[in-house]
């Protein structure tokens, strides 16, 4: 049998995976429903393997890239998980202090995809920090399902405090010039929105398919926002009109892009939800936005 392709799979499978990845159904129900799409030569193991992350073959910037200095750092988060770890990536040839970017993971901890994104950010001329919200529980366990289960046990507001503490750590870092922005994906998109709510000094925020803040919180935002949404992501997109209304009424700088016919998670190049054209265009916009607000 030839390898499965995205075109071979029903959109219902992607919607089902989204429900599972966001804790709407448990693994038993997920597998039961997924089995309904295993017909003919498409077996359940083949389907499961196809929609699961492939980290090994998807790395864009290797951990050993000679252009970067990467290290695991530790910082305090007294209002959150107390003791936090994260990946810090800095361009090796930097000759002056750099603006900083916090990179916020999805709902499963600091997995290889987010570490890769952090290195990509650093190669664009930023000092990048990706905290691991699973630090108080031993860190990302090496498996997304286990990571998701662990993260689901943490309080989301305490995790927000962990990323705010990460912001403060990076802002005060000896190699940072004090200008710090944030980019986040899924859960990280919500964290990015909420960091904009909580931190009036935040230089910019780029939430990818992130849940929007409540109206009273949205009105507090001072940072410019670049909002990236997936056209097929009804679950997240339904909150956009109300968010847009508050941002507009309060003269908060923002621009939103909806990428048609792509799924939630389209930037994640380790799963079949990935869409290369949308991911590349959104990333070009993200880096241009950061350059505008942190370098010009």
């Amino acid at each position: 049998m030839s390898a499965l392709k995205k075109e071979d799979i029903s959109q219902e499978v992607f919607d089902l995976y989204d429900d599972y990845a966001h804790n709407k159904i448990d693994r038993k129900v997920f597998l039961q429903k997924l089995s309904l799409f295993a017909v003919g030569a498409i077996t359940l193991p083949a389907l499961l393997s196809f929609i699961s992350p492939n980290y090994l073959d998807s790395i864009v910037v290797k951990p050993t890239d000679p252009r970067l200095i990467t290290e695991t750092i530790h910082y305090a988060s007294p209002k959150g998980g107390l003791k936090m770890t994260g990946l810090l990536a800095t361009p090796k040839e930097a000759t002056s202090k750099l603006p900083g970017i916090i990179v916020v993971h999805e709902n499963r901890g600091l997995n290889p995809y987010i570490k890769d994104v952090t290195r990509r950010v650093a190669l664009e001329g930023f000092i990048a920090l990706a905290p691991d919200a699973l630090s108080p529980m031993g860190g990302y366990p090496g498996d997304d399902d286990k990571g998701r289960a662990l993260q689901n046990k943490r309080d989301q507001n305490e995790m927000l405090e962990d990323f705010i503490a990460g912001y403060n750590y990076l802002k005060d870092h000896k190699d940072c010039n004090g200008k710090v922005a944030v980019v986040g994906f899924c859960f990280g998109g919500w964290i990015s929105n909420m960091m904009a709510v909580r931190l009036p000094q935040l230089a910019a925020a780029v939430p990818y398919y992130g849940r929007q803040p409540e109206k009273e919180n949205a009105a507090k935002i001072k940072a410019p926002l670049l909002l990236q949404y997936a056209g097929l992501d009804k679950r997240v997109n339904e909150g956009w009109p109300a968010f847009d209304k508050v941002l507009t009424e309060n003269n908060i700088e923002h621009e939103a892009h909806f990428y048609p016919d792509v799924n939630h998670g389209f930037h994640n190049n380790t799963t079949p939800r990935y869409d290369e054209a949308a991911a590349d265009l959104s990333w070009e916009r993200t880096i241009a936005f950061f350059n505008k607000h942190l370098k010009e």
Side-chain angles (χ1 to χ4, degrees):
M1 175 184 171
S2 58
L4 286 176
K5 299 178 181 178
K6 185 186 298 187
E7 296 75 19
D8 299 326
I9 306 300
S10 166
Q11 178 61 36
E12 294 173 271
V13 170
F14 293 104
D15 295 339
L16 181 63
Y17 180 79
D18 190 78
D19 285 346
Y20 171 59
H22 295 92
N23 303 308
K24 290 188 174 183
I25 56 175
D26 62 24
R27 185 171 180 82
K28 181 179 179 180
V29 173
F30 169 62
L31 293 176
Q32 287 175 341
K33 292 187 174 183
L34 186 64
S35 67
L36 299 177
F37 297 93
V39 294
I42 301 178
T43 65
L44 179 58
L47 264 179
L48 188 59
S49 175
F50 178 71
I51 63 176
S52 298
N54 177 4
Y55 293 129
L56 185 63
D57 300 321
S58 304
I59 294 175
V60 175
V61 181
K62 294 181 179 180
T64 56
D65 191 299
R67 296 170 293 177
L68 296 174
I69 299 172
T70 58
E71 57 183 316
T72 298
I73 60 91
H74 306 272
Y75 66 91
S77 177
K79 295 181 181 179
L82 302 181
K83 296 180 180 179
M84 302 298 297
T85 62
L87 176 69
L88 187 72
T90 309
K92 185 173 289 187
E93 300 301 322
T95 57
S96 61
K97 292 186 176 184
L98 301 174
I101 307 292
I102 298 292
V103 183
V104 189
H105 58 69
E106 305 148 305
N107 65 339
R108 61 213 69 175
L110 184 55
N111 61 25
Y113 156 63
I114 296 297
K115 288 184 175 182
D116 190 16
V117 171
T118 305
R119 295 189 293 269
R120 297 180 215 174
V121 169
L123 284 182
E124 297 291 343
F126 301 94
I127 178 171
L129 172 61
D132 187 353
L134 298 184
S135 299
M137 310 174 91
Y140 174 70
D143 175 276
D144 274 18
D145 284 345
K146 293 178 181 177
R148 189 182 302 111
L150 286 175
Q151 189 163 323
N152 199 38
K153 294 178 181 179
R154 290 210 63 200
D155 179 85
Q156 66 175 7
N157 291 312
E158 286 190 1
M159 289 187 283
L160 173 59
E161 296 293 346
D162 294 334
F163 289 96
I164 290 173
Y167 164 89
N168 289 322
Y169 172 91
L170 186 57
K171 179 173 64 69
D172 296 335
H173 193 278
K174 64 180 179 61
D175 295 325
C176 182
N177 66 9
K179 294 182 179 180
V180 178
V182 61
V183 60
F185 305 85
C186 185
F187 162 80
W190 176 78
I191 289 287
S192 299
N193 280 324
M194 292 305 297
M195 286 177 67
V197 169
R198 291 281 304 278
L199 299 169
Q201 69 273 37
L202 187 71
V206 183
Y208 272 76
Y209 25 85
R211 183 162 52 89
Q212 301 85 2
E214 299 295 333
K215 178 179 179 180
E216 60 273 17
N217 283 326
K220 300 175 183 177
I221 292 174
K222 302 297 183 185
L225 303 178
L226 174 64
L227 304 124
Q228 313 274 28
Y229 291 111
L232 298 176
D233 191 3
K234 296 178 182 179
R235 176 179 56 83
V236 170
N237 295 352
E238 66 181 6
W240 167 244
F243 190 30
D244 181 37
K245 184 173 185 293
V246 175
L247 295 174
T248 301
E249 289 176 346
N250 288 275
N251 298 311
I252 298 166
E253 181 181 345
H254 69 287
E255 60 178 281
H257 297 281
F258 289 77
Y259 300 87
D261 303 317
V262 300
N263 285 286
H264 181 101
F266 69 81
H267 184 270
N268 188 333
N269 63 315
T270 72
T271 82
R273 296 185 297 172
Y274 172 63
D275 185 279
E276 183 176 9
D280 288 350
L281 178 56
S282 72
W283 195 245
E284 289 173 9
R285 287 169 168 165
T286 295
I287 297 304
F289 193 73
F290 285 151
N291 284 337
K292 174 184 176 181
H293 291 286
L294 282 84
K295 292 183 178 181
E296 293 182 2

